[in-house]
C-alpha cells in the first residue's frame, strides 16, 4: 500500500555532491527504519545508510564521513546527502523501509524503484 519514490539521481563529477530524496505516499516513518541501498553493475545490492524513527543513523564504512541520511517527517521524506562523490559510488540507489508490525518484532520491507547515480569525469 505504501509507495516509496526516489528522485534526485543524475550525473555528477568526482568530488561533487548530490541529494537523493525518497517520498512515501503517507506518513509511515514512525516505528520504521529507513535506509538507502545501492547496486552497482555486476555487484550485489549493499547497504549505504539507515536511520531509525528515533534518529539513530548508521553508515557503511565506504561512505562514512561523506554521506548523510536524514528525514523530514512532516514531508514523509528521507534524504541522502552525498558529498565528495567518487566513481565507485556509481550505482542505482534504492530507498528502503522496514516497518515493525507487531510486538514479536515481525517486519515488512518495502523498496523504491531506484534512481541512477553516475559519478564520472
Amino acid at each position: 500500500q505504501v509507495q516509496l519514490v526516489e528522485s534526485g539521481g543524475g550525473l555528477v563529477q568526482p568530488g561533487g555532491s548530490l541529494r537523493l530524496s525518497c517520498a512515501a505516499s503517507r506518513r509511515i516513518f514512525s516505528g520504521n527504519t529507513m535506509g538507502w541501498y545501492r547496486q552497482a553493475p555486476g555487484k550485489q545490492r549493499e547497504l549505504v545508510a539507515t536511520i531509525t524513527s528515533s534518529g539513530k543513523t548508521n553508515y557503511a564504512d565506504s561512505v562514512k564521513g561523506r554521506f548523510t541520511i536524514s528525514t523530514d517527517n512532516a514531508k514523509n521524506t528521507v534524504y541522502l546527502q552525498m558529498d565528495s562523490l567518487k566513481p565507485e559510488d556509481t550505482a542505482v540507489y534504492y530507498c528502503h523501509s522496514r516497518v515493525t508490525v507487531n510486538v514479536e518484532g515481525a517486519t515488512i520491507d518495502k523498496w523504491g524503484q531506484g534512481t541512477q547515480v553516475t559519478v564520472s569525469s
Side-chain angles (χ1 to χ4, degrees):
Q1 184 177 359
V2 176
Q3 304 295 317
L4 303 175
V5 180
E6 302 98 332
S7 62
L11 175 65
V12 65
Q13 292 185 331
S17 297
L18 210 58
R19 184 178 177 88
L20 305 183
S21 299
C22 173
S25 58
R26 62 179 180 176
R27 192 184 189 280
I28 47 82
F29 293 167
S30 294
N32 285 10
T33 296
M34 303 296 299
W36 289 93
Y37 291 70
R38 67 187 182 187
Q39 187 166 21
K43 296 184 178 180
Q44 291 188 321
R45 189 172 298 185
E46 64 177 351
L47 184 146
V48 176
T50 60
I51 185 167
T52 69
S53 59
S54 64
K56 184 178 69 175
T57 58
N58 189 54
Y59 298 92
D61 288 341
S62 60
V63 307
K64 200 170 297 182
R66 300 188 297 119
F67 290 11
T68 304
I69 188 171
S70 62
T71 60
D72 185 337
N73 290 335
K75 297 180 179 179
N76 301 333
T77 301
V78 60
Y79 302 97
L80 184 67
Q81 178 67 43
M82 304 184 293
D83 298 319
S84 301
L85 282 161
K86 304 174 180 180
E88 51 263 45
D89 295 318
T90 296
V92 177
Y93 284 70
Y94 296 90
C95 183
H96 172 253
S97 170
R98 171 162 288 176
V99 183
T100 301
V101 297
N102 60 36
V103 295
E104 286 75 34
T107 58
I108 297 176
D109 295 301
K110 292 186 179 296
W111 295 90
Q113 84 288 347
T115 185
Q116 176 71 48
V117 172
T118 302
V119 185
S120 176
S121 299

